[in-house]
Amino acid sequence: MSKSLEGRTALVTGSTSGIGLGIALAFAREGAKVMLNGFGTPDAISAARGEVAAIAGGETPYSGADLSKAEGVRQMCTEAEAALGRVDILVNNAGIQFVSPVEEFPDAKWDAILAINLSSNFHAIKALLPGMKARNWGRIVNVASAHGLVASPFKAAYVAAKHGVVGLTKTVAIEVARTPITCNAICPGFVRTPLAEAQVGPLAQKHGVSEEAALTDFLLEKQPSKRWVEVDEVAQMALYLCGPNSGAVNGAALSIDGAWTAS
Ligand code: NAD
């Protein structure tokens, strides 16, 4: 059976761990040549590159660019075009979080979250869309969040940035609507990543409950399914959006959140 991304090239930001790495692996399995980006220890980065290379063969291109700065995003896009020849698929996934009441929210955290979670998407799209238009094909997937659609307290910057990502997605989608390029957002609820799972133990201790209760009653309080969304479930959604059967899906903010935003 032919692979759905055979011959395609993809840049996945924030792909040294978690959801981004899951998307990169799923794309590689479907035949895409993928460039990784993100931070981590040298060992973690070479492990991520090795995981992708074990599927795709050869060397996995990697950019360590800091996406908190416009110049860093542009540098990553230039590196990607050089390493891959062209970028057919852009997945804007890198993101950070910080939690605080709004009146105490540190200015520097606000600026960093807006820069990494929102502005980096804008700068990468601006840099790579001209090539997609010239080749008359492209896919842009922005990893937003359930917090791109609804709010939670103490997450002012994250919620503002993710709502911004959904707005940016819709705008770009309309601008490219007459071309074979699409731009969509994925809005996950709580996804089982090492960082997210590590919150369960401390929550159980804090509330004096079992880890199971800490998960369902506290961490997944807003997620009616009461189970994690799995990284590969998000990756499969990204794969669908970049595959051959999704050309009419454009400007969507697709929820994958165990009915969180339905409630
Ligand atoms: P993660 O911390 O495992 O991965 C984040 C990635 O972004 C890492 O590769 C990290 O190195 C990279 N990154 C951070 N700052 C960067 C910078 N300045 N420049 C370049 N790279 C940088 O997190 P994750 O849970 O996999 O999250 C990935 C995306 O999914 C984020 O945008 C997050 O908001 C979103 N998301 C996560 C969940 C969840 O439950 N895990 C839910 C909804 C949305």
PDB file of all heavy atoms in Angstrom, residues 51 62 129 154 168 186 192 250 262:
ATOM      1  N   GLU A  51      15.161   8.128  16.716  1.00  0.00           N
ATOM      2  CA  GLU A  51      13.848   7.459  16.578  1.00  0.00           C
ATOM      3  C   GLU A  51      13.273   7.694  15.185  1.00  0.00           C
ATOM      4  O   GLU A  51      12.722   6.793  14.557  1.00  0.00           O
ATOM      5  CB  GLU A  51      12.867   8.020  17.611  1.00  0.00           C
ATOM      6  CG  GLU A  51      12.871   7.322  18.948  1.00  0.00           C
ATOM      7  CD  GLU A  51      11.675   7.764  19.789  1.00  0.00           C
ATOM      8  OE1 GLU A  51      10.549   7.360  19.521  1.00  0.00           O
ATOM      9  OE2 GLU A  51      11.895   8.581  20.721  1.00  0.00           O
ATOM     10  N   TYR A  62      17.745  18.612  11.885  1.00  0.00           N
ATOM     11  CA  TYR A  62      17.312  19.200  13.161  1.00  0.00           C
ATOM     12  C   TYR A  62      17.741  20.665  13.206  1.00  0.00           C
ATOM     13  O   TYR A  62      18.860  20.996  12.808  1.00  0.00           O
ATOM     14  CB  TYR A  62      17.944  18.431  14.328  1.00  0.00           C
ATOM     15  CG  TYR A  62      17.921  19.192  15.634  1.00  0.00           C
ATOM     16  CD1 TYR A  62      16.748  19.310  16.372  1.00  0.00           C
ATOM     17  CD2 TYR A  62      19.072  19.823  16.114  1.00  0.00           C
ATOM     18  CE1 TYR A  62      16.735  20.024  17.569  1.00  0.00           C
ATOM     19  CE2 TYR A  62      19.058  20.538  17.313  1.00  0.00           C
ATOM     20  CZ  TYR A  62      17.882  20.640  18.026  1.00  0.00           C
ATOM     21  OH  TYR A  62      17.860  21.353  19.195  1.00  0.00           O
ATOM     22  N   LEU A 129       4.924  30.109   3.492  1.00  0.00           N
ATOM     23  CA  LEU A 129       3.774  30.125   2.583  1.00  0.00           C
ATOM     24  C   LEU A 129       4.148  30.495   1.141  1.00  0.00           C
ATOM     25  O   LEU A 129       3.607  29.888   0.202  1.00  0.00           O
ATOM     26  CB  LEU A 129       2.679  31.046   3.139  1.00  0.00           C
ATOM     27  CG  LEU A 129       1.338  31.019   2.408  1.00  0.00           C
ATOM     28  CD1 LEU A 129       0.750  29.619   2.323  1.00  0.00           C
ATOM     29  CD2 LEU A 129       0.347  31.966   3.098  1.00  0.00           C
ATOM     30  N   PHE A 154      -6.274  31.335  35.550  1.00  0.00           N
ATOM     31  CA  PHE A 154      -4.830  31.347  35.827  1.00  0.00           C
ATOM     32  C   PHE A 154      -3.966  31.036  34.605  1.00  0.00           C
ATOM     33  O   PHE A 154      -2.772  30.820  34.736  1.00  0.00           O
ATOM     34  CB  PHE A 154      -4.476  30.396  36.997  1.00  0.00           C
ATOM     35  CG  PHE A 154      -5.401  30.547  38.169  1.00  0.00           C
ATOM     36  CD1 PHE A 154      -6.089  29.468  38.696  1.00  0.00           C
ATOM     37  CD2 PHE A 154      -5.608  31.804  38.726  1.00  0.00           C
ATOM     38  CE1 PHE A 154      -6.973  29.629  39.767  1.00  0.00           C
ATOM     39  CE2 PHE A 154      -6.474  31.982  39.797  1.00  0.00           C
ATOM     40  CZ  PHE A 154      -7.157  30.885  40.318  1.00  0.00           C
ATOM     41  N   LEU A 168      -5.592  33.159  13.842  1.00  0.00           N
ATOM     42  CA  LEU A 168      -4.594  33.180  12.769  1.00  0.00           C
ATOM     43  C   LEU A 168      -4.887  32.067  11.749  1.00  0.00           C
ATOM     44  O   LEU A 168      -4.823  32.291  10.529  1.00  0.00           O
ATOM     45  CB  LEU A 168      -3.195  32.988  13.379  1.00  0.00           C
ATOM     46  CG  LEU A 168      -2.025  32.813  12.414  1.00  0.00           C
ATOM     47  CD1 LEU A 168      -1.787  34.087  11.607  1.00  0.00           C
ATOM     48  CD2 LEU A 168      -0.753  32.423  13.181  1.00  0.00           C
ATOM     49  N   ILE A 186      -5.468  22.108  15.463  1.00  0.00           N
ATOM     50  CA  ILE A 186      -5.874  20.962  16.274  1.00  0.00           C
ATOM     51  C   ILE A 186      -5.993  21.460  17.713  1.00  0.00           C
ATOM     52  O   ILE A 186      -5.108  22.151  18.216  1.00  0.00           O
ATOM     53  CB  ILE A 186      -4.831  19.825  16.187  1.00  0.00           C
ATOM     54  CG1 ILE A 186      -4.766  19.281  14.758  1.00  0.00           C
ATOM     55  CG2 ILE A 186      -5.148  18.718  17.171  1.00  0.00           C
ATOM     56  CD1 ILE A 186      -3.750  18.158  14.567  1.00  0.00           C
ATOM     57  N   ARG A 192      -1.568  12.642  27.069  1.00  0.00           N
ATOM     58  CA  ARG A 192      -0.611  11.908  27.897  1.00  0.00           C
ATOM     59  C   ARG A 192       0.816  12.096  27.354  1.00  0.00           C
ATOM     60  O   ARG A 192       1.244  11.446  26.419  1.00  0.00           O
ATOM     61  CB  ARG A 192      -0.938  10.413  27.890  1.00  0.00           C
ATOM     62  CG  ARG A 192      -0.134   9.628  28.947  1.00  0.00           C
ATOM     63  CD  ARG A 192       0.011   8.168  28.560  1.00  0.00           C
ATOM     64  NE  ARG A 192      -1.256   7.503  28.381  1.00  0.00           N
ATOM     65  CZ  ARG A 192      -1.909   6.828  29.333  1.00  0.00           C
ATOM     66  NH1 ARG A 192      -1.394   6.719  30.526  1.00  0.00           N
ATOM     67  NH2 ARG A 192      -3.058   6.234  29.066  1.00  0.00           N
ATOM     68  N   ASN A 250     -10.498  23.187   5.779  1.00  0.00           N
ATOM     69  CA  ASN A 250      -9.653  24.379   5.784  1.00  0.00           C
ATOM     70  C   ASN A 250     -10.228  25.397   6.752  1.00  0.00           C
ATOM     71  O   ASN A 250     -11.431  25.680   6.726  1.00  0.00           O
ATOM     72  CB  ASN A 250      -9.596  24.967   4.364  1.00  0.00           C
ATOM     73  CG  ASN A 250      -8.523  26.035   4.220  1.00  0.00           C
ATOM     74  OD1 ASN A 250      -7.575  26.090   5.006  1.00  0.00           O
ATOM     75  ND2 ASN A 250      -8.679  26.889   3.221  1.00  0.00           N
ATOM     76  N   ALA A 262     -17.416  20.284  24.491  1.00  0.00           N
ATOM     77  CA  ALA A 262     -18.839  20.048  24.226  1.00  0.00           C
ATOM     78  C   ALA A 262     -19.660  20.325  25.476  1.00  0.00           C
ATOM     79  O   ALA A 262     -20.882  20.460  25.407  1.00  0.00           O
ATOM     80  CB  ALA A 262     -19.054  18.607  23.768  1.00  0.00           C
TER      81      ALA A 262
END
